[in-house]
Amino acid sequence: MFLTPDGKPFWGGTYFPREARYGRPGFVQVLEAVDKAWREKKESVNQSADGLTTHVEARLAGSHAKAVLDSDTLAKLANGIDGMIDRELGGLRGAPKFPNAPFMQSLWLSWLRDSTAAHRDAVLLSLEKMLAGGIYDHVGGGLSRYSTDAEWLVPHFEKMLYDNAQLVRLCNWAYASTGKELFRLRIEETIAWLLREMRVEGGAFAASLDADSEGEEGLFYTWSKDEVELALDDESALFFHYFTLADPHGWEGKPIIRQTEAQQTQSVIDRQQLVPLKEKLLAARAQRIRPGRDGKALTDWNGLMIAALAEAGRSLGRSDWIVAAAAAFAAIAAAGRDNRLSHSMLGAKRLFPALSSDYAAMTNAAVSLFEATGNPDYIDRAGNFIEQLDLWHRDSDKTGYYLTASNSTDVPIRIRGDVDEAIPSATGQIIEAMVRLSSLTRDLELWEKAWTIAEHAAGRAEHQPYGQAGIVNACALALEPLKLVIVDKPENPRLVPVANRNPDPRRVDIVVPVGSATNLPALPGGVLPPTAEPGAWLCTGQVCLPVVTEAEELEGLLRRR
């Protein structure tokens, strides 16, 4: 887009070839024409900019009537997504293939609520195919941005923080549901990559790694047969038993490491044999020139990863991951000023003001850290983030939030942030954050606010649900929020491990030590749970099931569909 000095767009396009061809002007010609128009027809250009700005602002105003929240909306969306799934290769049919976490979450929520096994299986198939393909880094862990082909084989080798946060979360749910060690191993490998290569000073996480090094895409990550044999010597035959070097048609680089389905299955069984091989390859790769790293820490992306780390740490009993999540949270929170979050930080530099997605993602991160640690300070921080969101982003009708702050000076139009990109939309994250926090705190005012926001967002999402799956998913959480209150012995818990190994994105968990004073978060209706003996109460909305006291009984309850 070409903009006037005050930021209004007046002309643009999606693709300009370097040289004129196929009836398209070359980019230099485009620049010359725009320059001439600006110098010779400035008044006309400014009128065009004003008209275009007014038109776009009207289209993005989101003035649709609110909708009644309906459980059928999620089912309809999930069924539509299911119809687009590639039943052989996973993901959506065709190429390129993106992980598309909001769609995967729609299918998973449908499975949890309605026991639609086909929707669960679509997610599991997609994950398994991704994790066997070249889009996954089989040497160092972590997922690339997308696959250029339909088989998850040739990736765009860029690694994004948000993709890997969502991969960890999806694999955590998949492991809890199936017990397949593949998902646990890939979580461990991906988090090992994160902590090894993506931490910046202070403990937060960098945004991304570039796709190319030495001017060639994928050079850092690809291997010739000779390079593998040089690194592994006598053990190279063992490597080729578990991995394949693929050299697909049209790919001009070195071969890409991938696995067949049989190799993937066998490598999980024989995983201990592969540890020293991967360590040697990783050491050899470390001698190469690394891709560049975008070292800025983006607040919303960090929020996603902090929540994923905290949740996976609970599920897999990895307190070190929870510690890493807490350190990243502290770093992002400390980067703020005047009680406001920054949008990003790079060394000593800070970019203000934050976006609504930043406050929402950090609220969800705070809730997940509270569940993992029991530290009530995280609930206080979450409440403060919502206060700042209200102060700087809420619309005048109190029916929703703008993506940018009211005092932002660098945007010509304030949009709501309804549309998903590679991550759920800002609006979807806001609804999820408010539902989760209000469930924990029994803040009825916050709950009513979340419901109002959800109704109006649902009205807007009716017109393009596939582009706003994050809103539909969040509205499904608002319709059926689950809350689990557990009283257990801290020194020898029976019930807490059951909850930890059965994560559910619809549920928030509160752990109360046996014998503690009953001034802790209460059950719906203000009922305080007795704390003399271990017990667990599972509540949906304002209705709780009878207390459960045995681990096996709680396991059955949490796995009930």
Side-chain angles (χ1 to χ4, degrees):
M1 297 301 300
F2 293 89
L3 314 180
T4 65
D6 59 352
K8 292 181 179 179
F10 62 87
W11 193 81
T14 55
Y15 173 71
F16 306 106
R18 176 179 295 190
E19 307 294 340
R21 66 175 186 270
Y22 309 128
R24 294 175 180 267
F27 190 55
V28 171
Q29 290 176 286
V30 169
L31 295 176
E32 289 171 343
V34 170
D35 173 64
K36 183 178 180 180
W38 179 250
R39 284 187 288 106
E40 299 179 3
K41 300 179 180 180
K42 186 174 294 187
E43 183 178 350
S44 176
V45 167
N46 278 318
Q47 288 176 353
S48 175
D50 289 340
L52 181 57
T53 299
T54 300
H55 173 74
V56 171
E57 195 165 23
R59 287 293 301 270
L60 297 179
S63 57
H64 303 294
K66 69 179 182 180
V68 176
L69 298 189
D70 185 349
S71 59
D72 290 340
T73 304
L74 174 66
K76 184 178 179 181
L77 174 62
N79 286 333
I81 295 169
D82 185 65
M84 297 186 280
I85 292 292
D86 186 330
R87 295 297 172 189
E88 181 182 354
L89 300 170
L92 302 184
R93 288 192 295 271
K97 267 186 163 59
F98 288 80
N100 205 322
F103 275 16
M104 294 296 108
Q105 185 170 354
S106 297
L107 293 170
W108 198 258
L109 289 173
S110 173
W111 145 245
L112 289 176
R113 193 190 66 186
D114 299 328
S115 301
T116 314
H119 295 173
R120 173 203 59 194
D121 294 345
V123 176
L124 298 177
L125 172 69
S126 299
L127 286 173
E128 289 174 2
K129 293 296 185 180
M130 265 187 263
L131 296 173
I135 191 174
Y136 184 76
D137 181 357
H138 292 277
V139 171
L143 198 69
S144 292
R145 179 68 196 92
Y146 63 89
S147 168
T148 61
D149 59 277
E151 299 180 11
W152 304 108
L153 177 54
V154 181
H156 175 53
F157 284 89
E158 189 177 22
K159 283 184 178 179
M160 312 300 296
L161 183 67
Y162 56 76
D163 282 323
N164 287 283
Q166 293 173 112
L167 175 71
V168 167
R169 203 173 190 217
L170 286 168
C171 283
N172 191 32
W173 301 341
Y175 178 62
S177 176
T178 66
K180 285 189 174 182
E181 287 292 295
L182 168 69
F183 300 121
R184 182 182 65 81
L185 288 172
R186 295 297 181 258
I187 292 171
E188 291 175 346
E189 291 168 356
T190 298
I191 294 178
W193 159 77
L194 173 80
L195 300 181
R196 182 180 66 243
E197 299 187 25
M198 299 300 284
R199 271 203 281 206
V200 299
E201 186 177 356
F205 301 109
S208 65
L209 296 178
D210 290 348
D212 58 307
S213 55
E214 301 181 69
E216 183 176 332
E217 179 162 351
L219 183 63
F220 182 75
Y221 299 102
T222 51
W223 298 78
S224 68
K225 187 172 184 289
D226 289 344
E227 286 174 326
V228 172
E229 291 174 342
L230 180 64
L232 297 182
D233 197 20
D234 294 342
E235 295 175 304
S236 60
L238 184 63
F239 173 84
F240 290 118
H241 178 69
Y242 293 102
F243 298 96
T244 299
L245 291 183
D247 199 2
H249 176 72
W251 171 246
E252 298 179 354
K254 292 182 295 184
I256 300 165
I257 297 177
R258 67 166 298 177
Q259 289 184 312
T260 65
E261 184 177 348
Q263 285 175 325
Q264 185 182 64
T265 300
Q266 194 61 41
S267 69
V268 173
I269 297 171
D270 301 336
R271 55 189 175 274
Q272 291 304 320
Q273 294 186 53
L274 300 183
V275 171
L277 272 65
K278 288 190 176 184
E279 288 177 346
K280 289 180 180 179
L281 290 174
L282 198 60
R285 197 170 78 176
Q287 303 307 309
R288 300 175 177 177
I289 296 176
R290 290 184 174 276
R293 186 175 80 165
D294 182 348
K296 68 176 175 289
L298 290 162
T299 295
D300 49 359
W301 296 7
N302 268 265
L304 291 174
M305 182 57 84
I306 292 164
L309 270 178
E311 291 167 12
R314 284 183 65 204
S315 296
L316 302 184
R318 292 292 299 265
S319 59
D320 54 327
W321 296 350
I322 298 172
V323 169
F329 183 93
I332 295 294
R337 71 180 183 209
D338 299 328
N339 213 27
R340 299 177 70 177
L341 290 171
S342 67
H343 174 58
S344 68
M345 62 176 178
L346 179 60
K349 296 179 180 178
R350 305 288 185 269
L351 180 63
F352 291 92
L355 302 176
S356 62
S357 56
D358 297 321
Y359 288 107
M362 285 295 284
T363 301
N364 277 313
V367 170
S368 294
L369 278 169
F370 168 76
E371 292 179 295
T373 66
N375 185 343
D377 290 346
Y378 288 115
I379 298 300
D380 294 338
R381 295 307 297 263
N384 179 255
F385 294 150
I386 296 297
E387 288 175 4
Q388 294 300 311
L389 184 68
D390 283 347
L391 184 61
W392 297 104
H393 296 267
R394 201 173 187 183
D395 64 25
S396 58
D397 296 329
K398 298 185 178 181
T399 59
Y401 296 87
Y402 290 109
L403 182 63
T404 52
S406 57
N407 66 336
S408 295
T409 59
D410 59 348
V411 289
I413 299 171
R414 294 183 76 195
I415 64 173
R416 290 190 179 277
D418 287 345
V419 178
D420 300 325
E421 296 181 8
I423 61 177
S425 67
T427 302
Q429 292 187 65
I430 289 168
I431 297 167
E432 179 184 2
M434 289 183 169
V435 168
R436 296 179 73 203
L437 183 58
S438 63
S439 292
L440 281 181
T441 61
R442 288 185 55 253
D443 184 337
L444 296 182
E445 182 179 343
L446 179 58
W447 168 250
E448 290 172 1
K449 184 190 301 182
W451 190 263
T452 298
I453 304 306
E455 286 182 317
H456 283 84
R460 300 192 299 271
E462 280 182 340
H463 300 270
Q464 50 170 323
Y466 291 106
Q468 300 182 21
I471 288 177
V472 177
N473 295 341
C475 289
L477 298 181
L479 273 167
E480 192 181 41
L482 300 182
K483 178 176 181 176
L484 180 66
V485 177
I486 299 177
V487 175
D488 211 347
K489 297 177 180 178
E491 68 281 1
N492 186 28
R494 292 200 321 259
L495 302 175
V496 170
V498 176
N500 287 348
R501 65 175 175 258
N502 286 285
D504 188 326
R506 303 169 300 170
R507 199 182 78 227
V508 293
D509 295 353
I510 302 172
V511 177
V512 180
V514 165
S516 62
T518 54
N519 59 353
L520 295 162
L523 303 176
V527 178
L528 296 171
T531 62
E533 298 290 340
W537 291 260
L538 180 62
C539 310
T540 303
Q542 299 299 309
V543 179
C544 295
L545 296 176
V547 62
V548 169
T549 58
E550 299 300 327
E552 296 78 9
E553 192 177 359
L554 181 59
E555 188 95 43
L557 190 63
L558 297 184
R559 286 186 171 271
R560 176 179 58 83
R561 301 302 175 207

